[in-house]
């Protein structure tokens, strides 16, 4: 079924050759790491999902009037009609609950920032621009005039088509335009940021982590070392298969190090015994794209405060492996999920659940604290103060839940998004 060599191993997906008929040049003649395959499938300028589909991010024509809906059934029927009229696979929460979702984020920023200094906000992957507009609207109406007048809001957007949509959305309020700008580039590319900026700022990432490239590592059983997974074309140029190599990529190795920092000897012994009784292959998806982005952000914005929101788990995922993605497309008005990530060829979204425990560890690692303290549980010297909240808890604290409540008391923002969380991270005084 597969061949072995001392340094590499070629293994077809699920132990048989996986046929993926590629209509693009996402994979060239040389093997690529899984993260590079995913990045091309999503963001390639010619063939990527977000690049060739200007409406890959849904935009509602008007805000939903929740208080005019009777209850959950009426809301679901209303949502069903919206999806049937659109070629969008799904709408982001900030779009479904506009403007209230963005207003909650703006309130969180206003409560925890020093309004005596100019407010600088960066949004990574701003989608349709509805979050930027909602935050600017809220600050214009609720903050002291000097805060709004002196603030800047920079959207870092990799998709040219979405960048144009953001300009149009924010430009609906003319006074916002002097504060808002879009930089069409990859936020994880250090060269695009220029010199490090020492002033306090906010970074917002909504449903961004789920679309960041991930790497895949494989092990023959519970105690064998991990191997990094590469994607290679078969000789017929139409089929793809996985190529396994020993860990050499520095980014993957750093991510594995963070994941395994909490390992202890007793756990290793238990795994060793268990693997002898029930040996089985392991597959683990690593958020290397997130790690790379955090490394860049901590370098260029060392005094940033961070708000991130994403899915903590995804239902009905058939792709194997810890933190495995959902690969979904929309055909003839219906969503269709793929059983293999190699099927994504620019026509499908690839999104991952966010491991918020791991996100927190990567944040501390990139700040420099965990590199010095490892798994030491003491808070002494920590450079970040972090908090993970369910979306319902975040919105009850900072938002206006009454605005998303139906007549019978049902609230889709609080009741339906149980698999989403907010991550808040602010700098402490231990910056050196």
């Amino acid at each position: 079924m597969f061949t072995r060599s001392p340094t590499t191993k070629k293994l077809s997906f699920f132990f048989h050759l996986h046929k993926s008929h590629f209509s693009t040049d996402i994979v060239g003649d040389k093997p690529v790491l899984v993260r590079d395959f995913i990045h091309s499938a999503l963001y390639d300028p010619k063939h990527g999902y977000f690049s060739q589909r200007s409406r890959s991010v849904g935009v509602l024509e008007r805000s939903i009037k929740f208080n005019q809906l009777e209850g959950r059934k009426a809301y679901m029927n209303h949502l069903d009609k919206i999806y049937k009229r659109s070629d969008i696979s799904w709408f982001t929460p900030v779009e479904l609950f506009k403007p209230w979702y963005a207003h909650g984020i703006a309130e969180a920023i206003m409560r925890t920032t020093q309004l005596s200094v100019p407010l600088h906000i960066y949004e990574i992957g701003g989608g349709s621009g509805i979050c930027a507009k909602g935050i600017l609207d809220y600050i214009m109406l609720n903050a002291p005039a000097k805060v709004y007048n002196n603030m800047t809001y920079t959207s870092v957007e990799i998709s040219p088509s979405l960048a144009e949509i953001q300009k149009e959305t924010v430009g609906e309020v003319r006074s916002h335009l002097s504060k808002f700008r879009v930089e069409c580039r990859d936020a994880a590319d250090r060269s695009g940021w220029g010199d490090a900026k020492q002033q306090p700022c906010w970074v917002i990432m909504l449903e961004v982590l789920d679309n960041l490239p991930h790497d895949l590592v494989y092990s023959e059983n519970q105690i064998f070392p991990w191997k990094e997974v590469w994607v290679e074309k078969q000789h017929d140029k139409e089929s793809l298969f996985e190529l396994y190599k020993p860990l050499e990529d520095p980014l993957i190795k750093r991510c594995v190090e963070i994941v395994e920092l909490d390992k202890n000897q007793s756990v290793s012994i238990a795994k060793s015994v268990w693997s002898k009784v029930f040996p089985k292959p392991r597959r683990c998806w690593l958020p290397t794209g997130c790690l790379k982005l955090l490394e860049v952000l901590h370098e260029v914005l060392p005094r940033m405060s961070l708000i991130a929101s994403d899915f903590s788990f995804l239902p009905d995922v058939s792709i194997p492996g810890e933190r495995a993605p959902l690969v979904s497309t929309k055909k003839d008005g219906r969503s269709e999920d793929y059983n293999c990530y190699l099927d994504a060829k620019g026509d499908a979204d690839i999104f991952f659940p966010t491991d918020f425990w791991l996100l927190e560890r990567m944040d501390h690692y990139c700040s420099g604290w965990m590199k010095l303290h490892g798994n030491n549980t003491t808070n002494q010297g920590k450079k970040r103060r972090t908090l993970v909240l369910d979306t319902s808890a975040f919105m009850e604290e900072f938002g206006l839940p009454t605005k998303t409540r139906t007549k019978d008391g049902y609230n889709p923002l609080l009741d339906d998004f149980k698999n989403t969380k907010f991550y808040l991270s602010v700098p402490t005084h231990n910056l050196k």
Side-chain angles (χ1 to χ4, degrees), residues 127 155 157-168 180 182-184:
S155 173
E157 175 58 58
I158 196 171
S159 167
S161 57
L162 289 177
E164 291 303 316
I165 293 174
Q166 290 173 27
K167 293 177 185 177
E168 295 175 7
F180 179 80
V182 181
E183 297 180 359
C184 193

Side-chain angles (χ1 to χ4, degrees), residues 17-18 20 22 27 37 231-233 238-241 342:
L17 185 63
H18 180 81
S20 181
F22 249 61
V27 177
F37 168 80
V231 178
E232 187 174 32
K233 274 186 181 180
E238 293 183 346
S239 304
L240 298 175
F241 63 88
L342 295 175

Side-chain angles (χ1 to χ4, degrees), residues 74-146:
Y75 168 72
M76 296 305 293
N77 288 338
H78 182 73
L79 210 57
D80 186 56
K81 292 178 182 178
I82 292 175
Y83 275 108
K84 286 182 177 178
R85 292 197 301 264
S86 170
D87 62 348
I88 302 301
S89 297
W90 72 292
F91 289 87
T92 61
V94 71
E95 187 71 33
L96 286 176
F97 301 103
K98 65 181 180 184
W100 316 115
Y101 197 94
H103 286 186
I105 296 171
E107 175 63 20
I109 291 175
M110 288 179 57
R111 283 199 213 172
T112 52
T113 195
Q114 291 183 336
L115 298 181
S116 59
V117 299
L119 176 60
H120 301 289
I121 299 176
Y122 296 88
E123 185 178 3
I124 311 299
S128 67
I130 199 63
C131 179
K133 181 180 182 299
I135 289 176
L136 287 164
D137 287 346
Y138 190 87
I139 293 177
M140 179 180 65
L141 296 174
N142 295 280
K146 67 175 183 178

Side-chain angles (χ1 to χ4, degrees), residues 315-385:
D316 305 321
V317 174
S318 58
I319 295 173
E322 186 178 357
R323 306 182 201 93
L326 194 62
V327 181
S328 180
T329 188
K330 194 167 185 181
K331 296 180 179 179
D332 300 325
R334 292 189 176 186
S335 294
E336 177 181 330
D337 295 340
Y338 292 153
N339 293 322
C340 178
Y341 72 96
L342 295 175
D343 286 326
K345 36 189 187 292
D347 64 339
D349 195 359
I350 307 172
F351 50 105
F352 294 80
T354 296
D355 185 336
F356 283 85
W357 170 85
L358 181 54
L359 173 62
E360 184 179 34
R361 294 177 70 85
M362 290 192 298
D363 191 15
H364 284 306
Y365 182 90
C366 294
S367 75
W369 175 79
M370 188 168 282
K371 295 176 185 177
L372 298 176
H373 293 80
N375 194 41
N376 191 343
T377 56
T378 179
N379 290 329
Q380 183 177 1
K382 274 191 175 180
K383 298 184 178 182
R384 310 292 297 176
R385 185 179 297 110

Side-chain angles (χ1 to χ4, degrees), residues 46 82 138 178 194 255 284 289 309 324 327 332 339 373 387 389 419 432:
K46 293 183 178 180
I82 292 175
Y138 190 87
S178 62
C255 203
C284 182
S309 176
V327 181
D332 300 325
N339 293 322
H373 293 80
L387 180 65
L389 291 173
N419 63 332
K432 294 183 179 181

Side-chain angles (χ1 to χ4, degrees), residues 20-263:
S20 181
H21 298 288
F22 249 61
S23 59
T24 71
D25 295 323
I26 289 177
V27 177
D29 294 330
K30 295 183 179 180
V32 296
L33 283 165
V34 170
R35 69 168 180 263
D36 296 322
F37 168 80
I38 292 175
H39 187 276
S40 295
L42 292 177
Y43 303 112
D44 182 272
K46 293 183 178 180
H47 313 296
Y49 177 74
F50 289 111
S51 301
Q52 65 177 335
R53 292 165 61 94
S54 62
R55 289 186 56 79
S56 57
V57 175
V59 179
L60 294 179
E61 294 180 1
R62 59 185 64 88
S63 299
I64 299 175
K65 305 297 183 183
F66 295 95
N67 57 6
Q68 295 179 9
L69 299 174
E70 193 62 39
R72 189 176 194 278
K73 184 177 180 180
Y75 168 72
M76 296 305 293
N77 288 338
H78 182 73
L79 210 57
D80 186 56
K81 292 178 182 178
I82 292 175
Y83 275 108
K84 286 182 177 178
R85 292 197 301 264
S86 170
D87 62 348
I88 302 301
S89 297
W90 72 292
F91 289 87
T92 61
V94 71
E95 187 71 33
L96 286 176
F97 301 103
K98 65 181 180 184
W100 316 115
Y101 197 94
H103 286 186
I105 296 171
E107 175 63 20
I109 291 175
M110 288 179 57
R111 283 199 213 172
T112 52
T113 195
Q114 291 183 336
L115 298 181
S116 59
V117 299
L119 176 60
H120 301 289
I121 299 176
Y122 296 88
E123 185 178 3
I124 311 299
S128 67
I130 199 63
C131 179
K133 181 180 182 299
I135 289 176
L136 287 164
D137 287 346
Y138 190 87
I139 293 177
M140 179 180 65
L141 296 174
N142 295 280
K146 67 175 183 178
V147 175
Y148 175 73
N149 292 334
N150 295 328
M151 73 176 293
T152 63
Y153 196 115
T154 303
S155 173
V156 182
E157 175 58 58
I158 196 171
S159 167
S161 57
L162 289 177
E164 291 303 316
I165 293 174
Q166 290 173 27
K167 293 177 185 177
E168 295 175 7
T169 301
V170 176
E172 293 174 6
V173 179
R174 184 174 296 274
S175 63
H176 291 348
L177 290 176
S178 62
K179 293 113 177 102
F180 179 80
R181 73 174 184 268
V182 181
E183 297 180 359
C184 193
R185 58 183 176 85
D186 184 352
D189 184 350
R190 173 64 181 87
S191 63
W193 288 93
D195 296 334
K197 301 161 181 64
Q198 299 299 326
Q199 66 267 33
C201 64
W202 281 87
V203 174
I204 300 171
M205 296 190 291
L206 306 182
E207 286 73 52
V208 169
L209 301 178
D210 58 356
N211 280 132
L212 289 180
H214 284 52
D215 271 292
L216 179 60
V217 291
Y218 168 84
S219 174
E220 292 183 25
N221 59 41
Q222 296 92 318
I223 60 172
F224 273 35
W226 290 112
K227 294 187 176 183
E228 57 192 37
V229 181
W230 294 63
V231 178
E232 187 174 32
K233 274 186 181 180
Q234 188 68 354
H235 296 302
D236 60 11
K237 302 297 183 181
E238 293 183 346
S239 304
L240 298 175
F241 63 88
E242 291 180 343
L243 174 66
Y244 298 162
K245 300 181 181 181
L247 287 188
E248 294 181 352
D249 179 75
L251 186 59
I252 296 177
K253 292 172 73 173
R254 290 199 300 275
C255 203
V256 170
E257 177 187 352
I258 297 170
V259 171
E260 297 186 343
L261 272 175
D262 66 336
K263 282 191 172 182

